[in-house]
Amino acid sequence: MADPDLRDRFLNTLKGKAVDKVPVLSVTQTGTVELMKESGAAWPEAHFDAEKMADLALSAHTFAGLEAVRYPFCLTVLSEALSCKINPGRLDIQPSPGSNPFAEKPETLELPLDFAERGRIPLIANVTAILRKKAGEEVPLIAGMEGPASLASRLIGTYNFLTWTLKKPETLKEFIKITGAVCSRYTEVLYEAGVDAVCIVDGIAGPDTLDPKDFEIFMRPEYEKFCRAGKGIKLIHICGNSVPILKSISECGFQGISIEEKVTDLQAAKKLVGSKTKLIGNLASSGVMLNGTCEEIKTEATKCLEDGIDILAPGCGIAPKTPIKNIRALVEARDEYYIKLEYQA
Ligand SMILES: [Zn+2]
């Protein structure tokens, strides 16, 4: 089953070069309870132990067949490095922030000089090195992180994040400038460690929570800076119906946008983002991926492929109770799609 071209195929797809097949992978979290059993690395330990994190992340490739290794499994690494308390979660629940350390004094946030030494940042760099050794050179490594908006909302609280767009816009703008700089600095650390792509997860920046007008004011300038800073592939995941901001995100310079199933017209979405930005998705993570039959998953996946998805993937983080066979069905759907194409030709 080892395919020597997985990394090339992934990178070429995002660079707009011709590829033989659409890659099947996840740019959002991949830890499931069944994979924890297979790998012997379970939550919550696998969030805080480098070997366990590497083993669980790798199992989504070796056991479930996904064509990349994606880690970590939470969105708290940057928050923790900036003094946010973290609840560790449990076997099937991700860690979550337990405090909003900058709600009272947002003006005191800065990019710490010892950033690369803080919290789990050295651990994630170490996981990258372990995975490169274990997975080899031919499997892409994708690291996820809180995006500038998610990080800000954790440090000051979601309520403040959303109300400050009206009440304290200048304070919020300055704050997001710094969370954006933190994301860029972390991206440098990750590339030094050997990742192939980073994916910022910024659910709260989507139109379901943030008005697209505010997106233009608060997020777009920081996304542009993030994409310009440093080298490497930069991906973004936005939750919900991201259609109203897809064009704007693509203009920021991301090579790929991970979209949810709420983006219902893929062909129209592709026109919005143009040829330079690739679309990644978009089977419902808490719908068909979690509860569907393999046949239902294959039907949805085939539709995505026919509509021109660039990377076939779950639309959001994989739900922990998703069966391995459902993830495999996604990969099989892609394989069967190309066998059929060949047969027809
Ligand atoms: Zn999402």
Side-chain angles (χ1 to χ4, degrees):
M1 151 179 146
D3 187 330
D5 299 320
L6 296 182
R7 193 177 177 199
D8 282 348
R9 189 189 284 149
F10 172 71
L11 294 174
N12 285 340
T13 298
L14 292 165
K15 288 173 185 165
K17 295 183 186 166
V19 288
D20 60 336
K21 287 180 203 173
V22 164
V24 191
L25 49 87
S26 180
V27 301
T28 45
Q29 97 79 20
T30 61
T32 70
V33 174
E34 284 187 12
L35 287 172
M36 292 177 210
K37 281 184 192 145
E38 293 288 353
S39 65
W43 293 0
E45 297 80 22
H47 301 296
F48 306 97
D49 177 293
E51 291 288 343
K52 284 188 174 157
M53 186 182 289
D55 287 347
L56 180 57
L58 189 58
S59 73
H61 167 62
T62 48
F63 288 101
L66 293 177
E67 296 175 335
V69 178
R70 200 277 191 197
Y71 55 97
F73 317 105
C74 70
L75 288 170
T76 56
V77 171
L78 291 179
S79 311
E80 184 187 45
L82 295 171
S83 312
C84 189
K85 286 199 188 91
I86 304 302
N87 301 318
R90 54 175 216 215
L91 184 74
D92 56 353
I93 294 184
Q94 286 171 301
S96 58
S99 68
N100 309 123
F102 290 90
E104 303 301 325
K105 289 190 173 171
E107 67 283 357
T108 58
L109 179 70
E110 52 185 24
L111 174 58
L113 287 173
D114 63 345
F115 172 77
E117 305 307 320
R118 285 188 165 214
R120 280 174 288 163
I121 293 185
L123 181 140
I124 304 290
N126 187 20
V127 170
T128 307
I130 295 171
L131 280 170
R132 185 54 81 207
K133 227 183 224 171
K134 286 190 174 174
E137 294 294 323
E138 295 88 10
V139 181
L141 303 182
I142 305 170
M145 70 176 92
E146 302 99 307
S150 300
L151 181 55
S153 75
R154 280 157 185 236
L155 297 177
I156 59 175
T158 304
Y159 178 80
N160 285 340
F161 180 87
L162 294 173
T163 52
W164 288 3
T165 55
L166 272 174
K167 288 185 185 162
K168 295 183 185 179
E170 290 311 315
T171 306
L172 186 62
K173 253 190 226 168
E174 287 304 311
F175 200 79
I176 298 173
K177 258 187 207 169
I178 300 170
T179 54
V182 169
C183 292
S184 295
R185 176 73 189 99
Y186 185 41
T187 299
E188 274 175 33
V189 172
L190 291 168
Y191 271 102
E192 276 165 31
V195 295
D196 294 302
V198 296
C199 182
I200 62 169
V201 178
D202 238 357
I204 195 167
D208 287 3
T209 36
L210 190 69
D211 188 302
K213 271 191 250 134
D214 288 330
F215 174 87
E216 289 300 313
I217 296 167
F218 294 95
M219 300 318 305
R220 182 168 171 148
E222 298 317 314
Y223 286 170
E224 285 174 350
K225 266 189 252 166
F226 176 76
C227 289
R228 275 199 306 265
K231 56 169 189 171
I233 300 280
K234 293 174 185 121
L235 312 174
I236 183 169
H237 173 74
I238 295 280
C239 291
N241 177 11
S242 49
V243 170
I245 56 169
L246 279 181
K247 186 170 188 288
S248 185
I249 300 178
S250 69
E251 289 165 356
C252 293
F254 290 99
Q255 283 92 348
I257 308 174
S258 158
I259 53 172
E260 290 197 351
E261 70 284 357
K262 285 184 189 165
V263 178
T264 49
D265 189 340
L266 270 184
Q267 294 182 18
K270 272 180 77 82
K271 279 191 194 130
L272 285 174
V273 302
S275 59
K276 277 192 185 160
T277 307
K278 305 300 168 190
L279 286 182
I280 305 165
N282 69 338
L283 275 79
S285 288
S286 50
V288 73
M289 284 301 301
L290 174 64
N291 297 313
T293 63
C294 292
E295 282 316 306
E296 285 165 344
I297 289 167
K298 286 182 182 181
T299 304
E300 295 269 323
T302 306
K303 197 175 168 299
C304 285
L305 291 164
E306 284 169 353
D307 288 344
I309 198 77
D310 298 293
I311 294 179
L312 186 61
C316 195
I318 298 177
K321 290 186 178 156
T322 303
I324 293 176
K325 66 174 169 48
N326 286 15
I327 305 174
R328 281 197 194 127
L330 195 62
V331 184
E332 285 161 16
R334 190 279 318 269
D335 291 342
E336 287 164 17
Y337 175 79
Y338 283 95
I339 290 169
K340 213 169 167 189
L341 275 188
E342 227 167 79
Y343 190 72
Q344 283 166 352

